[in-house]
Amino acid sequence: MRWCSSSMLHPLRCVRVRSCARRGKNTVPLWIREVWAYMRLLVQSLYFSSLTDSDVVFDSVFEPVFWTVDYVTRWFGTVFVCLVVILTGSILAIAYLILLPMIFRTYTPLWIAWHVCYGHWNMVMIIFHYYKAITTSPGSPPTEKNGSPFVAVCKKCIIPKPARTHHCGICNRCILKMDHHCPWLNNCVGHFNHRYFFSFCVALAVGCVYCSISGRNLFIEAYNAIEHLDGEKPGVPVTGMGVLIGLLPPGQTTYQTAAPPHTFKEKLIHKSIIYMWVLTSTVAVALGSLTLWHAVLISRGETSIERHINSKERNRVVKRGGVYRNPFNHGRLNNWKIFLGVEKTSHWLTRVLLPSGHAPPGDGLKWDVFPVKKDLIPV
C-alpha cells in the first residue's frame, strides 16, 4: 500500500471489500444452502405450469413432510422387523415353557394331540411366510428396453412403467403390482411377495385368535390371582372401618386374612399369561381387520393403490353416464385362483394349506384384462 499511488488505493480497497463479502457468503453451511434452494424450487413449482391444480400445490407444500416420513420409515424398518421377531418369540417361549407343560398335565390325549398339531402347523406357517415376505423381492421393471408393453414413464426412475406398476418413495424404485410398503417387513409388497404377505397375515391373525380363545380362562385365573395378591395385605388392622360401620365394638381389633403364599415363579407365570393374552387379543383385532380388508381387495382383483385409482376413475365415468369395470377383475373365484397360484385341485392343499414357495402366475409385466377370463378349475 505504501508504494501504490493514491489513485490506486480506492480500487484496491473496493476489491478487498468485495472479496470479504464473498467470503462471508461462502460461510453459510452447505446443507442450509441446499435446503434453501430446495424450498425455492418448491415455491417456483407452484406457478411453473398452467396445468397446476390443487393436487400439485398439495404435493409441493407437503413434499418435505413426505420426504421425512419416507426417510424415517426406511431407517426404522429394521427396528420394526426386530420388534416382530421379539414379540413373536416371547409368545412362543410362553407357549413352550408354561402352556405346553400345563396342557400335558390337565388335558385329555385327544385335546393334547389337537393343540400340539395345530399349534406347530400355525407356527410353521407364520415363520415360513414372514421369512419369504421379507427376503423375496417384490419385483421391478427392467431398466433396459425389452419390448414389454408399458403405460407410462416414471418421473423419478425415468424408465417405462408396465401396468399396475408404481414408484415407492421409501425403496426409491418402481415396484411391479405394488400394493403398499410395509414397515413391519422392511420391504414393499408387490407381485412376487404379495401372497407371502397375505398368508403371513392370515396365519398370524388366526394364531392370535387361537391363543386368545384358548387362553381366556387362564387369563381370568391369573388376573384374579394378581388382584388378590395386590389387594390383600396380611397383618393390617381394620378397627377404624369396623367401628365406623358398627360391626366392631370400640377398642376391638381384627386383622385381614393372610393371602396365600406366592413364589416368584408363580407370579412370573401369572404375569406371562396376562401379557400373552393381552398381546394376542390386541393383534387379533388389529391384524384381523387388516387381513379382512386385503381379502376384499383380492376378491375384487385390485391392490390398495388401485383401490383409490379405481374409485376416482369410477366416479369420473359415472359422471359421464358410463359404467366402469376393473380391467383386472376376473371374478371372485378366479381372482383367488390367480392370486394363490392354484392351477389344479390338489394345489388347495399343497400351495394354500401347506408352506409353498411357488412363484405367482405371470412375470408382472403383462396382464390379461377382462373380458379374457381363465377358469383354472371348473366349478
Side-chain angles (χ1 to χ4, degrees), residues 364-378:
L365 302 176
K366 303 176 182 178
W367 299 93
D368 293 331
V369 297
F370 118 94
V372 178
K373 297 185 179 180
K374 294 182 178 180
D375 193 4
L376 302 179
I377 302 178

Side-chain angles (χ1 to χ4, degrees), residues 184-237:
W184 300 102
L185 301 180
N186 194 25
N187 195 7
C188 263
V189 177
H191 177 62
F192 290 102
N193 66 345
H194 194 178
R195 180 179 66 88
Y196 296 131
F197 164 77
F198 180 76
S199 298
F200 163 72
C201 291
V202 172
L204 186 59
V206 171
C208 290
V209 171
Y210 164 74
C211 292
S212 179
I213 294 176
S214 61
R216 177 178 176 274
N217 293 333
L218 294 176
F219 164 76
I220 294 175
E221 293 176 1
Y223 183 80
N224 291 334
I226 294 294
E227 285 291 312
H228 180 73
L229 185 64
D230 294 339
E232 295 188 359
K233 302 296 182 181
V236 178

Side-chain angles (χ1 to χ4, degrees), residues 9 15 35 120 141 157 247 260 273-274 306 344 358:
L9 289 177
V15 171
V35 172
H120 284 84
C157 296
L247 295 180
I273 292 175
I274 294 175
E306 292 172 351
K344 53 184 180 180
H358 66 279

Side-chain angles (χ1 to χ4, degrees), residues 284-350:
V285 174
L287 188 60
S289 303
L290 177 65
T291 304
L292 290 176
W293 171 243
H294 278 279
V296 172
L297 295 179
I298 295 171
S299 300
R300 298 174 180 174
E302 58 185 9
T303 62
S304 300
I305 297 177
E306 292 172 351
R307 163 71 173 79
H308 301 284
I309 297 175
N310 292 340
S311 179
K312 292 183 179 180
E313 188 67 16
R314 185 177 296 106
N315 294 334
R316 186 183 67 84
V317 174
V318 169
K319 289 180 180 179
R320 295 184 177 183
V323 178
Y324 176 76
R325 296 290 299 272
N326 179 14
F328 307 110
N329 185 4
H330 300 279
R332 293 181 181 179
L333 183 59
N334 285 324
N335 289 335
W336 281 103
K337 294 175 186 177
I338 295 172
F339 177 79
L340 298 174
V342 174
E343 298 176 356
K344 53 184 180 180
T345 306
S346 61
H347 286 169
W348 290 106
L349 173 63
T350 59

Side-chain angles (χ1 to χ4, degrees), residues 38-39 41-43 45-46 53-67:
Y38 185 66
M39 298 301 295
L41 180 63
L42 290 180
V43 174
S45 66
L46 299 179
D53 55 8
S54 59
D55 293 335
V56 176
V57 175
F58 180 84
D59 292 341
S60 301
V61 172
F62 285 90
E63 179 64 22
V65 179
F66 299 149
W67 181 87

Side-chain angles (χ1 to χ4, degrees), residues 132-174:
K132 295 293 289 185
I134 292 176
T135 58
T136 302
S137 174
S140 299
T143 57
E144 299 179 357
K145 186 177 180 180
N146 60 353
S148 299
F150 62 94
V151 296
V153 176
C154 180
K155 299 178 182 179
K156 297 183 179 180
C157 296
I158 318 298
I159 61 174
K161 290 200 308 182
R164 315 187 79 177
T165 300
H166 301 278
H167 185 87
C168 176
I170 300 174
C171 296
N172 198 23
R173 57 173 177 165
C174 286

